[in-house]
């Protein structure tokens, strides 16, 4: 048995890294000897592109929860990681932009265009001559390079190096930079910059840049030699002069520049030139293998499917355990924290109440006013139906608890705004505001001689004088008040605290004196308890949400009532002690 979760942004990044690493592995295998530089360069470019492309086909991959640690970071942890990544991303972008803008300004201020060199470059680029790069000589020590992005890159050479080169060496240099232009390596620099900014934290990206530029230089060397028609030895002499210059002066490259640098692959470049293998055509088998691998890796996007450990899975299949899957509500459906744990032996097939269709009408009882009823159902909400009067319709927010005032035809209603109001059912309107809680009213209890008591969601209990609205006594609890009920004689109150929707925290019933609300006795309760009330069978009876009733002090089972009766008792306590009669089969 498996459970799935939607791909997160972190999953996309991780899967792209895995697939790009596979791209890199194929590229390294193809270009490890250097003689398939053209194909290896294409594969390394595909590796960079894969890092920033979205998935096309999603392929689920099963993972064991016990071995992979799929628990996600908390919201705070993810924010910290995102902040660190954003700082690095902004730093790489800002540094590149500043260096690009500064060097471009330097060329405009200090550079001298060389018309003769530009004419020679136009003759090399052929059909691209109409937008061939300009050639600038700079009176400062920089690396010779093709600099820029888009359709207007320029070739830059330091004046000191230019004057030291012979005519054939100058042409070799210009041909090398023209090769960068014709191969569109200046566009690759833009891709490289974006990927480096996004994956600045991943060392593999920096190693891939070295490999990309290694094959790029070999391809440009071979292109230049073929275009010029010179011997490899003549070209190598110019190459060594340039390498000697940049090695002595330790110059660097700005962002978006393709240029010569001191490199560990110099020996390989010379060897390939002498043997004329830098542009060797790969076999159809190699090309087919590399092409198929690229297409497959470009399409595939692995999405993890969490699989429970085999021990739990086998137990579930045998009926020995069930699963409890926890989801973090703060993360939403796209980001959930998930865990699987064995809960215990699965229960037998349920009988009676549990496998019946839920009743559409979930509360229904008669009010003190003759003929008046309280009805709550799924379709119409809450209706108070006085005799010979139009029903009073309310929502659950407008009526959270109700207490009847004997022999008056009036009721007290508490709402989720904390208001406690006195209503005249015959007139169908509220008569007065008894008082106000700081939180939603959760329970009301009324006794003919002891008066009105109310409790709220914050754990506050108040006893009221209905006529004046004066608070006669108060008491506070650590958790919400779930239910308040009078004893039959009115001398004692049973106050149940602890939210029913939570399976942790305090669940207790406090027996308190009606006059002062001082505590007399307290008992722990299970979270399944809906309320504790006075009964004819024993002093205090616990009523579970399932309908089971028991004596509070000895846990003796009394009866099982229907679910709508439980809801009715939660909304309003009967005036007389309630007699529990079994209405549902256990």
């Amino acid at each position: 048995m498996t459970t799935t979760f939607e791909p997160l942004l972190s999953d996309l990044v991780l899967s792209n890294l895995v697939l790009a690493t596979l791209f890199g592995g194929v590229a390294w295998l193809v270009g490890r000897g250097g003689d398939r530089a053209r194909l290896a360069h294409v594969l390394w470019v595909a590796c960079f592109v894969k890092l920033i492309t979205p998935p096309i086909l999603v392929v689920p991959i099963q993972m064991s929860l016990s071995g992979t640690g799929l628990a996600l970071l908390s919201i705070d942890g993810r924010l910290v990681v995102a902040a660190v990544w954003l700082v690095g991303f902004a730093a790489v972008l800002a540094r590149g932009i500043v260096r690009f803008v500064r060097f471009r300004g330097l060329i405009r201020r200090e550079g001298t265009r060389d018309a003769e060199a530009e004419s020679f470059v136009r003759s090399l680029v052929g059909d691209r001559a109409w937008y061939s790069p300009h050639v600038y000589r700079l009176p400062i020590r920089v690396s010779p390079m093709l600099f820029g992005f888009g359709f207007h890159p320029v070739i830059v050479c330091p004046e000191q190096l230019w004057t030291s080169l012979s005519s054939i060496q100058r042409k070799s240099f210009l041909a090398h930079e023209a090769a960068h232009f014709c191969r569109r390596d200046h566009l690759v620099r833009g891709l490289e910059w974006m990927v480096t900014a996004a994956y600045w934290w991943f060392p593999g990206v920096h190693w891939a840049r070295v490999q990309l530029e290694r094959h790029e230089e070999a391809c440009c060397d071979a292109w230049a030699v073929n275009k010029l028609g010179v011997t490899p030895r003549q070209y190598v002499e110019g190459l060594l002069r340039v390498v000697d210059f940049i090695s002595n002066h330790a110059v660097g490259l700005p962002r978006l520049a393709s240029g010569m640098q001191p490199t560990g692959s110099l020996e390989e470049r010379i060897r390939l030139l002498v043997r004329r293998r830098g542009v060797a055509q790969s076999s159809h088998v190699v090309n087919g293998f590399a092409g198929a691998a690229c297409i497959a890796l470009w399409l595939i996007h692995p999405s993890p499917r969490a699989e429970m450990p085999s021990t739990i899975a086998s137990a579930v299949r045998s009926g020995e355990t069930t699963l409890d899957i926890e989801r973090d509500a703060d993360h939403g459906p796209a980001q959930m924290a998930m865990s699987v744990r064995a809960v215990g032996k699965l229960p037998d097939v349920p009988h009676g109440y549990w496998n019946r269709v839920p009743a559409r009408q979930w509360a229904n009882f008669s009010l003190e006013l003759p003929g008046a009823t309280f009805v709550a159902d799924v379709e119409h909400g809450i209706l108070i139906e006085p005799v010979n009067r139009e029903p009073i319709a309310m929502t659950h927010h407008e009526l959270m608890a109700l207490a009847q005032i004997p022999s008056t035809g009036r009721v007290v209603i508490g709402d989720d705004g904390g208001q406690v109001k006195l209503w005249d059912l015959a007139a169908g309107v509220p008569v007065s505001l008894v008082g106000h809680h700081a939180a939603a009213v959760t329970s009301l209890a009324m006794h003919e001689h002891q008066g009105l008591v109310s409790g709220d969601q914050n754990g506050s209990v108040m006893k009221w004088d209905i006529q004046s609205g004066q608070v006669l006594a108060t008491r506070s609890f650590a958790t919400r008040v779930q239910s308040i009920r009078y004893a039959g004689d009115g001398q004692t109150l049973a106050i149940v605290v602890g939210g029913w929707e939570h399976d942790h925290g305090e669940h207790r019933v406090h027996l308190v004196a009606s006059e002062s609300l001082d505590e007399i006795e307290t008992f722990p309760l299970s979270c399944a308890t809906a309320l504790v009330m006075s009964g004819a069978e024993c002093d205090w009876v616990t009523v579970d949400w399932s309908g089971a009733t028991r004596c509070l002090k000895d846990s003796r089972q009394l009866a099982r009532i229907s679910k709508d009766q439980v809801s009715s008792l939660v909304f309003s306590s009967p005036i007389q002690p309630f007699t529990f009669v079994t209405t549902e089969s256990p």
Side-chain angles (χ1 to χ4, degrees), residues 73 75-87 200:
L73 291 172
I75 292 180
D76 292 340
R78 291 199 307 275
L79 290 176
V80 170
V81 171
V84 171
W85 173 84
L86 187 60
V87 169
W200 59 266

Side-chain angles (χ1 to χ4, degrees), residues 44 120 124 132 150 239 272 282 328 333 397 420-421 474 556 583:
W44 281 114
F120 176 73
L124 293 175
S132 64
L239 174 63
L272 293 173
S282 301
D328 188 344
H397 298 289
V420 180
K421 294 180 180 179
T474 61
R556 175 167 48 90
T583 59

Side-chain angles (χ1 to χ4, degrees), residues 178-218:
H180 279 300
F181 173 75
C182 290
R183 287 170 39 81
R184 298 180 177 84
D185 291 333
H186 53 294
L187 301 180
V188 176
R189 296 288 81 77
L191 170 67
E192 193 179 78
W193 181 32
M194 289 188 292
V195 173
T196 304
Y199 290 88
W200 59 266
W201 47 271
F202 183 56
V205 168
H206 302 281
W207 180 76
R209 287 177 56 193
V210 173
Q211 298 302 312
L212 177 68
E213 293 169 10
R214 165 199 165 200
H215 296 299
E216 190 176 276
E217 293 298 313

Side-chain angles (χ1 to χ4, degrees), residues 368-424:
E368 178 68 16
L369 184 65
T373 57
F374 177 99
V375 179
D377 61 32
V378 175
E379 295 180 355
H380 302 97
I382 298 173
L383 297 177
I384 299 178
E385 301 178 338
V387 62
N388 300 325
R389 294 278 183 175
E390 288 295 322
I392 302 170
M394 295 186 177
T395 66
H396 182 55
H397 298 289
E398 295 171 317
L399 194 159
M400 299 192 67
L402 178 145
Q404 303 178 59
I405 304 176
S407 305
T408 65
R410 293 183 174 182
V411 296
V412 179
I413 293 176
D415 61 28
D416 69 348
Q419 294 183 339
V420 180
K421 294 180 180 179
L422 180 64
W423 276 71
D424 188 317

Side-chain angles (χ1 to χ4, degrees), residues 78 101 127 237 248 274 288 375 473 483 493 509 519 535 542 571-572:
R78 291 199 307 275
V101 172
D127 58 352
E237 288 177 353
N248 290 337
V274 173
V375 179
S483 172
L493 284 167
V509 57
E519 188 164 299
T542 65
F571 268 113
S572 179

Side-chain angles (χ1 to χ4, degrees), residues 244-555:
D244 180 63
F245 173 82
I246 61 180
S247 298
N248 290 337
H249 298 300
V251 294
L253 287 173
R255 183 61 68 182
L256 300 177
S258 301
M260 293 187 180
Q261 300 184 76
T263 172
S265 65
L266 179 61
E267 180 183 353
E268 179 185 79
R269 292 172 62 183
I270 296 175
R271 174 174 56 82
L272 293 173
L273 283 169
V274 173
R275 296 172 61 183
R276 291 183 176 272
R277 297 184 61 188
V279 291
Q281 294 295 327
S282 301
S283 67
H284 293 299
V285 175
V286 174
N287 287 336
F289 165 74
C294 282
I295 293 173
L297 294 177
W298 211 302
L299 293 177
I300 294 174
H301 175 75
S303 176
R305 290 175 60 94
E307 185 179 45
M308 74 183 69
S310 58
T311 54
I312 299 180
S314 60
V316 170
R317 286 192 293 270
S318 64
E320 296 177 0
T321 61
T322 186
L323 293 181
D324 187 8
I325 299 176
E326 295 180 344
R327 299 173 182 237
D328 188 344
D330 292 336
H331 295 166
Q335 294 181 314
M336 61 180 68
M338 181 177 64
S339 64
V340 180
R341 66 174 184 264
V343 176
K345 184 174 177 60
L346 290 172
D348 296 330
V349 177
H351 297 284
Y353 163 77
W354 295 109
N355 60 351
R356 291 185 178 178
V357 178
R360 305 290 293 176
Q361 196 173 92
W362 44 276
N364 188 338
F365 55 90
S366 298
L367 297 175
E368 178 68 16
L369 184 65
T373 57
F374 177 99
V375 179
D377 61 32
V378 175
E379 295 180 355
H380 302 97
I382 298 173
L383 297 177
I384 299 178
E385 301 178 338
V387 62
N388 300 325
R389 294 278 183 175
E390 288 295 322
I392 302 170
M394 295 186 177
T395 66
H396 182 55
H397 298 289
E398 295 171 317
L399 194 159
M400 299 192 67
L402 178 145
Q404 303 178 59
I405 304 176
S407 305
T408 65
R410 293 183 174 182
V411 296
V412 179
I413 293 176
D415 61 28
D416 69 348
Q419 294 183 339
V420 180
K421 294 180 180 179
L422 180 64
W423 276 71
D424 188 317
L425 296 183
V429 294
V431 176
S432 64
L433 176 65
V434 177
H436 196 280
H437 278 263
V441 177
T442 53
S443 186
L444 293 169
M446 182 69 194
H447 192 272
E448 185 176 9
H449 303 295
Q450 297 296 334
L452 176 69
V453 180
S454 60
D456 66 26
Q457 200 164 8
N458 287 347
S460 176
V461 177
M462 297 183 182
K463 184 173 181 180
W464 304 90
D465 182 339
I466 294 181
Q467 298 298 326
S468 64
Q470 180 182 357
V471 179
L472 304 177
T474 61
R475 184 178 177 87
S476 295
F477 297 95
T479 56
R480 63 169 285 173
V481 175
Q482 182 168 299
S483 172
I484 302 176
R485 292 295 177 263
Y486 273 104
D489 58 7
Q491 299 302 310
T492 311
L493 284 167
I495 303 175
V496 176
V497 297
W500 61 268
E501 68 273 22
H502 304 298
D503 61 355
H504 55 80
E506 181 188 23
H507 293 272
R508 305 185 70 85
V509 57
H510 298 267
L511 303 181
V512 301
S514 300
E515 291 289 341
S516 61
L517 301 184
D518 292 335
E519 188 164 299
I520 301 172
E521 197 172 3
T522 182
F523 297 90
L525 296 174
S526 71
C527 62
T529 304
L531 72 157
V532 173
M533 61 182 296
S534 178
E537 298 82 354
C538 52
D539 290 342
W540 294 107
V541 177
T542 65
V543 181
D544 289 353
W545 289 107
S546 66
T549 63
R550 294 177 177 84
C551 284
L552 173 65
K553 295 186 178 180
D554 59 14
S555 298

